[in-house]
Amino acid sequence: MRVLVIGNGGREHCLAWKIAQSPRLKKLYCTPGNPGISSVADCVDIASEDTESLCNFARKEKIDLTVVGPEGPLVAGLVDRFQANGLRAFGPTKRAALLEGSKVFSKNLMRKYGIPTAEFRVFSELVPARRYIESINGPVVVKVDGLAGGKGSFVCKNTGEALKAVEEIMEERAFGPAGERVVVEEYMEGEEVSVLALTDGKTIVPLEPVQDHKALYGGDKGPNTGGMGAYSPVPLFNAGLASRVEKEILVPTVHAMKREGRSYKGVLYVGLMVTAIGPRVLEYNVRFGDPETQPLLMRLDGDLLDLLLATVEDRLEEAEFSWDARAALCVVMTSAGYPGNYEKGKEIKGFETLSGREDLMVFHAGTTLKQKKVVTAGGRVLGVTALGKDLQEAQKKAYEAAGKISFDGAYYRRDIGWRALRGVGSRENKEYRIQ
């Protein structure tokens, strides 16, 4: 098969790396790709948002399957355009991708179909939003309606922080059109878990759970980012919780989308808060997560290309795969200043010494070539991902590897996996353990 992966981040490097292992693969392309991806695929300089050029390339190169990495092209309707041209693409259509494209849409969908989530109010004007926040006088979560690269959610501990957040979004226009409406929702206590599932619209195949670390600093402090690291499996996520998530969230969501005339096909990513009363939805994403994909696919024992193709061809019930019993952990290395302003063009040294290991991968995220040297080109630069017999070993390997990589201003959290390793979820816990 001839396959095209669209995107240039760590998620796309991981997808390309796993697809490249398929015996069915004849040729792999990535647009626009990055230096890491170039080791497993031919990178072609076409922007992920250039739908027309991507379509023309897929037709010219007789691409059998296109895998769309980032959410932007999905929300813009890339899959629809490909389908109209007789091309197969993995991912939801534009109408279905609104599940991530609009927080207002997804929250209203959950309310309509009784899918557990936080209580919320929607505002399109600043003054009413202020009044509502002041009337609550407590912790809330403020979210922009549209796409914000994982940075449009503010967990506000008090009224002052919440007012500052809505002013930044609606008055200062920090997120542009994405912030024309805001969702102010109930603050939920619990522990976050990410559950990804493949679905062809009729069959749902949940994948292994992952726990992301969105906050910039250790102990989950500081501003939210696109993700500072992740690990799998998650001790908290036992069989009872998995059953509830499938029955109360995954199945109802896919059925709700179908009833709304927005049949969903692709990967459904559900960000969950595991509370004392059970799992509740924080957000939906309509693509593989980043950095959740890295530990997830490191553990996948099976042909990813077969799984993606089965999803597109409505035969997911035939899918066969298993999971490596080992744990996987990803540490994200970032540029100084991220998630705010940061410099680019810093030479990266040391990661080439880590190649060739079955239990370790360094996935490129924000990198590019400059005078034949790999340099930084983004906020999140690398995802150092390791397998270990248990989470503690995976963590040790990942941090040992990260310590061998250097670039000016490099930063990474030192506590990825801390919740599991301190014992939360791995023992009987009356507050969060769901039977």
Side-chain angles (χ1 to χ4, degrees), residues 125-318:
E125 295 180 359
L126 179 59
V127 173
R130 279 176 173 159
R131 289 174 181 163
Y132 177 67
I133 289 168
E134 288 170 347
S135 72
I136 294 175
N137 192 29
V140 296
V141 179
V142 177
K143 299 178 179 179
V144 303
D145 175 40
L147 299 179
K151 305 184 190 90
S153 178
F154 299 82
V155 180
C156 307
K157 298 177 182 177
N158 53 55
T159 300
E161 290 183 5
L163 291 174
K164 182 180 178 181
V166 294
E167 287 166 3
E168 181 180 339
I169 296 167
M170 305 187 83
E171 190 171 56
E172 300 172 17
R173 306 282 294 173
F175 297 90
E180 289 180 357
R181 294 187 294 179
V182 299
V183 175
V184 181
E185 66 179 37
E186 166 196 9
Y187 174 80
M188 295 187 290
E189 290 279 358
E191 188 167 341
E192 292 188 35
V193 179
S194 301
V195 175
L196 286 73
L198 296 174
T199 179
D200 56 13
K202 57 180 182 177
T203 300
I204 302 171
V205 179
L207 306 180
E208 283 281 270
V210 186
Q211 187 166 77
D212 185 19
H213 299 61
K214 290 192 178 300
L216 182 64
Y217 304 125
D220 292 339
K221 307 296 183 182
N224 270 354
T225 70
M228 295 298 296
Y231 69 90
S232 176
V234 181
L236 170 74
F237 205 85
N238 59 23
L241 180 53
S243 178
R244 287 192 63 175
V245 169
E246 185 169 355
K247 293 176 182 177
E248 298 174 18
I249 296 171
L250 293 177
V251 171
T253 299
V254 173
H255 286 178
M257 292 294 283
K258 188 172 184 178
R259 290 189 64 180
E260 293 293 310
R262 300 173 183 271
S263 292
Y264 195 96
K265 183 184 292 189
V267 62
L268 176 63
Y269 170 133
V270 185
L272 298 171
M273 181 68 79
V274 181
T275 74
I277 60 173
R280 302 170 78 186
V281 178
L282 288 167
E283 65 176 0
Y284 292 108
N285 291 322
V286 299
R287 35 67 189 183
F288 283 98
D290 191 347
E292 294 91 341
T293 300
Q294 288 85 314
L296 190 64
L297 294 189
M298 283 284 281
R299 294 189 60 223
L300 177 65
D301 186 6
D303 190 327
L304 177 63
L305 181 53
D306 270 348
L307 287 174
L308 302 180
L309 194 61
T311 304
V312 171
E313 295 178 344
D314 299 335
R315 51 178 184 81
L316 194 53
E317 73 278 0
E318 302 173 5

